[in-house]
Amino acid sequence: MATSRTDPLTLEVIELIGGVVARYHEEYDRAAATHTLTGAQARVLGLLSLQPMPMRRIAQKLKCEPSNITGIVDRLELRGLVERRPDPSDRRVKLAAPTEDGIRTARQLRDALDFAREPLAELSDAERSVLRDLLRRMLGTDADADTGSDATGDSGAAAL
C-alpha cells in the first residue's frame, strides 16, 4: 500500500529537508558575502570548480534560465574568478572554467560550509552511505555514481 503524501511522517520528513536546505542557503550566502559574492555566484563558482562546463549545462544543474547564468558568469569573469574557453570537443561551444583564483575561492567557500559537517561526522560510514543513497534515490540519480555526481551538487548546491 502506497504511503499518502500527507501522512505525518512524510510531512515531517519534508519539513526537515526544508530546514536543511534553508540552513545550507543561509550559510552559503554568508560565506559568499565574505568574498563579496552573491549566493548564486558562489554556487556557480563551486559547480565550475568541479569541472568546466557550458552555460546551458550550468543552468540545467542549477535549475535556472541560461540567460541568468550568462550574467553570473560575466560578473565572475570580471572578478577574475572564471574564464570562458572553447570546448576542445566542439569549438563552437564555450566552456566556463574557474581560474586559479576561482578554484581557491571555491575551496574557501566549501570549507566555510560546516553546518552539516559536525552532525554528519557523528554518523558512521554506513549511516552516511545510507543517507547518501536515500538522497540520491529521492533525486533520481544513480546510486552507483561517484560522489562528484548531481547528488552532491547543489541543486543550487553544487557543487560546493
Side-chain angles (χ1 to χ4, degrees), residues 135-153:
L135 291 170
R136 284 180 173 172
R137 186 170 163 193
M138 286 181 70
L139 292 171
T141 60
D142 182 12
D144 295 326
D146 67 340
T147 54
S149 72
D150 291 346
T152 61

Side-chain angles (χ1 to χ4, degrees), residues 84-132:
R84 287 179 170 93
R85 35 173 110 135
D87 184 337
S89 63
D90 183 351
R91 296 190 58 79
R92 296 169 296 173
V93 175
K94 292 283 188 205
L95 298 178
T99 62
E100 286 301 315
D101 233 8
I103 291 169
R104 188 173 30 261
T105 301
R107 188 179 313 113
Q108 291 168 351
L109 287 164
R110 252 191 310 277
D111 291 347
L113 298 177
D114 57 15
F115 84 89
R117 256 187 218 123
E118 207 170 292
L120 285 172
E122 294 176 12
L123 300 177
S124 69
D125 285 348
E127 289 170 324
R128 287 194 312 275
S129 292
V130 168
L131 178 58
R132 179 205 57 212

Side-chain angles (χ1 to χ4, degrees), residues 27-35 37-38 41-43 45-46 102-114 117 160:
E27 193 162 306
Y28 215 100
D29 290 344
R30 271 196 306 277
T34 66
H35 293 275
L37 296 170
T38 65
Q41 289 170 335
R43 285 186 282 281
L45 185 59
I103 291 169
R104 188 173 30 261
T105 301
R107 188 179 313 113
Q108 291 168 351
L109 287 164
R110 252 191 310 277
D111 291 347
L113 298 177
D114 57 15
R117 256 187 218 123
L160 287 187

Side-chain angles (χ1 to χ4, degrees), residues 40-80:
Q41 289 170 335
R43 285 186 282 281
V44 168
L45 185 59
L47 185 60
L48 292 175
S49 74
L50 300 175
Q51 70 179 36
M53 62 184 66
M55 278 168 284
R56 184 167 305 285
R57 180 78 176 124
I58 298 167
Q60 289 169 342
K61 285 195 158 282
L62 298 182
K63 304 200 179 348
C64 63
E65 290 298 316
S67 59
N68 292 345
I69 297 303
T70 300
I72 292 169
V73 169
D74 286 346
R75 288 184 288 284
L76 290 171
E77 193 172 32
L78 284 171
R79 297 268 312 268

